[in-house]
Amino acid sequence: MTHQELIVKLKAIVSPYVQDEAAFANLNEDTDFVKDLKINSANLVDIILDIEDEFDIRLENEDMEKMLDVKSAMEIVNTKLNS
Amino acid sequence: MVGNDIVDIAQAKKESNWQRPRFLDKLFTEKEQQIIHSSENSFLIVWRLWSMKEAAYKLYTQCHPSRFYNPKKFECIIDGNSGIVKFQNFKCYVVTKTTSDYIVSESSLKLSKLKSKVVKLDSECLTNQSEFLKRKLITSASKRFYGSEVQFNIKKNNHGVPAMEFNNRKVNISLTHHGNYGAYAIA
């Protein structure tokens, strides 16, 4: 999957949980789920479960620990897909 | 030092589904899942445990500046309205208050009474809510520390941990909002 395809998929996944639409419109690798998109921390787990479903992967606790921004989410998904 | 977390019960029902597959397993230990399943009101226990973990995480990051997402490793033990949360070598006390509208938890290093003041938030806009809550906190702080409101400043460090500055003093605080409710605590 290309970088661009991955960002598009992630954007669709986080969309229902976003509380700052302006930050969402400018979503890029540096976008932080909580600080920028103002996503409720209780919904971070939904994003993790949605990622698991979308890419048919399973994320461990250690993977979840870093899942606070788009860049880390992309890295983790890529690592899982290539392993 | 103090950490707090509030859950708006109506909001939690609306925006989260704790019964979705793998949800509980991602956030809660085996023991916590047993407590959830054996409870008559699993929904309330889920969100009580969640608020305990969040309150404990906020206290932990005050003690150890950092930022991460690992709720499952914050292990809760419940005893009446209070409880203990452990994370690695860190341990704190958490008191919880549950009403029909919200669940609020507050963590501290020593067993203490709930200091958090709960505020009803009417504005739907998140920025307004958080500004409103900060104003309430500053009004309360100005009375407690006998200063005028302009002397108080709330700042977040690069890990997102807030603190209040006043006359070259730094006071630990905690702010939380969810749905139509917010709460602030001054250490």
Side-chain angles (χ1 to χ4, degrees):
Chain A
M1 195 172 336
T2 68
H3 193 83
Q4 204 48 41
E5 283 168 344
L6 186 52
I7 285 214
V8 170
K9 283 197 171 190
L10 282 177
K11 199 166 177 180
I13 289 172
V14 300
S15 160
Y17 312 107
V18 167
Q19 302 208 47
D20 189 319
E21 294 299 334
F24 183 61
N26 295 316
L27 184 135
N28 58 65
E29 275 191 45
D30 296 321
T31 303
D32 189 286
F33 293 143
V34 180
K35 287 184 193 167
D36 299 321
L37 302 180
K38 308 280 186 275
I39 291 173
N40 191 302
S41 51
N43 283 137
L44 279 183
V45 69
D46 290 301
I47 292 179
I48 287 159
L49 294 171
D50 292 344
I51 287 177
E52 290 189 340
D53 292 339
E54 172 68 30
F55 300 100
D56 197 22
I57 53 176
R58 285 292 175 269
L59 301 173
E60 306 303 325
N61 232 257
E62 305 75 68
D63 304 319
M64 281 175 59
E65 197 164 279
K66 297 167 235 130
M67 281 275 223
L68 291 162
D69 51 60
V70 173
K71 193 187 269 172
S72 337
M74 289 175 68
E75 280 169 10
I76 292 156
V77 171
N78 270 327
T79 312
K80 291 277 163 184
L81 288 177
N82 296 328
S83 69
Chain B
M1 286 195 232
V2 65
N4 68 1
D5 188 70
I6 197 160
V7 173
D8 177 330
I9 290 175
Q11 188 78 8
K13 280 184 182 157
K14 197 164 66 184
E15 73 181 16
S16 292
N17 173 16
W18 65 272
Q19 287 167 306
R20 76 178 280 195
R22 312 193 302 286
F23 183 93
L24 292 181
D25 198 46
K26 284 272 187 276
L27 301 178
F28 301 101
T29 64
E30 295 281 323
K31 272 189 189 167
E32 290 161 359
Q33 291 183 52
Q34 278 170 21
I35 299 171
I36 291 166
H37 290 304
S38 62
S39 164
E40 281 178 23
N41 195 335
S42 302
F43 168 86
L44 279 184
I45 292 286
V46 165
W47 295 108
R48 176 183 173 180
L49 289 168
W50 168 259
S51 72
M52 288 174 72
K53 285 169 187 267
E54 281 280 292
Y57 167 80
K58 287 185 183 175
L59 184 64
Y60 177 83
T61 55
Q62 272 170 34
C63 302
H64 309 274
S66 54
R67 192 164 170 255
F68 55 93
Y69 187 67
N70 200 346
K72 193 169 181 169
K73 285 279 154 63
F74 283 79
E75 299 172 47
C76 303
I77 300 160
I78 292 183
D79 181 13
N81 288 324
S82 58
I84 288 170
V85 182
K86 289 179 186 169
F87 172 70
Q88 297 168 348
N89 298 323
F90 174 84
K91 179 185 150 180
C92 65
Y93 297 92
V94 181
V95 279
T96 302
K97 182 183 166 191
T98 304
T99 73
S100 54
D101 298 315
Y102 60 80
I103 302 168
V104 61
S105 287
E106 184 181 293
S107 59
S108 49
L109 297 171
K110 287 180 189 164
L111 190 58
S112 37
K113 281 188 183 164
L114 193 84
K115 293 184 282 283
S116 289
K117 293 277 177 279
V118 175
V119 178
K120 180 112 201 271
L121 305 166
D122 289 320
S123 157
E124 281 289 316
C125 175
L126 212 63
T127 335
N128 288 347
Q129 285 193 341
S130 108
E131 283 310 312
F132 184 72
L133 198 60
K134 281 181 191 167
R135 291 258 47 101
K136 288 275 185 188
L137 185 144
I138 286 175
T139 305
S140 160
S142 74
K143 285 178 189 150
R144 181 168 142 192
F145 297 104
Y146 306 103
S148 93
E149 292 190 15
V150 290
Q151 295 173 283
F152 294 84
N153 252 313
I154 295 173
K155 284 187 182 157
K156 278 186 179 179
N157 71 11
N158 56 348
H159 296 292
V161 179
M164 183 174 66
E165 288 169 0
F166 159 64
N167 284 354
N168 298 321
R169 270 176 75 188
K170 201 181 122 191
V171 182
N172 285 300
I173 57 168
S174 190
L175 295 155
T176 173
H177 55 84
H178 184 228
N180 288 318
Y181 293 91
Y184 61 86
I186 304 169

